[in-house]
Amino acid sequence: DADVTQTPRNRITKTGKRIMLECSQTKGHDRMYWYRQDPGLGLRLIYYSFDVKDINKGEISDGYSVSRQAQAKFSLSLESAIPNQTALYFCATSDSSWQGNDNEQFFGPGTRLTVL
Amino acid sequence: TQLLEQSPQFLSIQEGENLTVYCNSSSVFSSLQWYRQEPGEGPVLLVTVVTGGEVKKLKRLTFQFGDARKDSSLHITAAQPGDTGLYLCAGVTRSNTGKLIFGQGTTLQVKP
């Protein structure tokens, strides 16, 4: 079973609709992240959470919100989707206590979102 | 804004050729990572470099961290079709520990 799962894997929606993307992890990591990926722009950080009570905005948080329901769950919401939010969205986790590879992040398989 | 400039963005080569991907910044990083991403999947860590001037090898892949910790390179020797994918560099700064700053990515296609 995958350590980091994302649902749905694909979603097509219309402008103005509210959308929620969900992320679950079984790695026991305390840190979780949401990124969007667009061609030629790499991965850009939307929100991140270092523990259940800690939520922080990333570089492109406008139009998005998040909820850390439990250590293992971190969801991303688009309150009113717009076409330029069409992208590939990734959830990732990392372990602050790991003394190995500095800040290695483990990614889910991604959600492809299309806003018409 | 701290940026990681990655070049080239696209690379299409024949099997057996060598290639180098560059990752440059004006910022100093405490560590730099290289990830590889295949279609339909999330990025997977290849290596982390921490010390200025550090060189790490992973089979045919050689990773180098610049002496000033502002740049890095990935060199692939005798590329294989299985090397095809998106390569991403990502850095951590002392002021943003726990967060990664990603480069734009290099799409590599290795033709048989």
Side-chain angles (χ1 to χ4, degrees):
Chain A
D1 290 339
D3 294 321
V4 184
T5 58
Q6 292 184 233
T7 57
R9 292 295 312 277
N10 290 282
R11 181 73 184 268
I12 299 174
T13 191
K14 295 182 178 180
T15 297
K17 293 291 187 180
R18 184 178 187 274
I19 297 296
M20 179 180 287
L21 309 182
E22 298 187 354
C23 177
S24 294
Q25 52 115 346
T26 58
K27 299 186 76 65
H29 289 172
D30 52 343
R31 296 178 172 182
M32 298 187 74
Y33 309 80
W34 274 105
Y35 294 90
R36 67 176 279 174
Q37 185 174 42
D38 300 275
L41 295 178
L43 288 161
R44 293 184 292 167
L45 184 63
I46 305 172
Y47 270 94
Y48 62 102
S49 169
F50 281 175
D51 65 44
V52 174
K53 296 180 180 179
D54 176 75
I55 302 288
N56 302 282
K57 293 182 177 181
E59 61 179 305
I60 54 165
S61 60
D62 288 348
Y64 302 94
S65 63
V66 291
S67 174
R68 185 85 183 263
Q69 300 95 323
Q71 186 183 37
K73 296 184 182 296
F74 193 35
S75 61
L76 175 71
S77 293
L78 287 68
E79 297 301 326
S80 180
I82 56 177
N84 76 0
Q85 291 177 312
T86 293
L88 192 54
Y89 289 84
F90 286 100
C91 173
T93 72
S94 68
D95 184 352
S96 65
S97 65
W98 194 15
Q99 299 303 310
N101 286 330
D102 185 29
N103 292 298
E104 177 179 3
Q105 293 188 12
F106 296 83
F107 288 81
T111 294
R112 185 167 295 281
L113 177 66
T114 302
V115 184
L116 302 176
Chain B
T1 303
Q2 298 157 325
L3 295 176
L4 266 173
E5 297 291 332
Q6 201 171 329
S7 63
Q9 287 196 35
F10 301 97
L11 200 51
S12 181
I13 61 173
Q14 293 295 133
E15 181 176 0
E17 293 184 8
N18 301 332
L19 67 115
T20 302
V21 177
Y22 299 94
C23 186
N24 296 294
S25 177
S26 58
S27 300
V28 176
F29 292 96
S30 57
S31 67
L32 198 138
Q33 301 176 358
W34 285 91
Y35 288 80
R36 181 180 163 205
Q37 183 181 2
E38 298 192 23
E41 300 180 8
V44 176
L45 181 69
L46 294 173
V47 77
T48 300
V49 285
V50 178
T51 306
E54 183 176 5
V55 177
K56 282 191 174 179
K57 293 191 174 184
L58 188 64
K59 296 183 180 179
R60 294 175 293 100
L61 279 60
T62 301
F63 305 85
Q64 187 164 7
F65 202 12
D67 291 341
R69 304 205 311 275
K70 293 181 178 182
D71 56 89
S72 182
S73 64
L74 157 61
H75 182 79
I76 301 179
T77 303
Q80 304 294 312
D83 296 327
T84 294
L86 176 67
Y87 290 83
L88 294 155
C89 63
V92 178
T93 65
R94 293 193 185 281
S95 61
N96 286 294
T97 56
K99 295 195 302 180
L100 292 173
I101 299 167
F102 280 87
Q104 305 97 316
T106 296
T107 300
L108 172 63
Q109 180 185 41
V110 183
K111 301 174 184 176

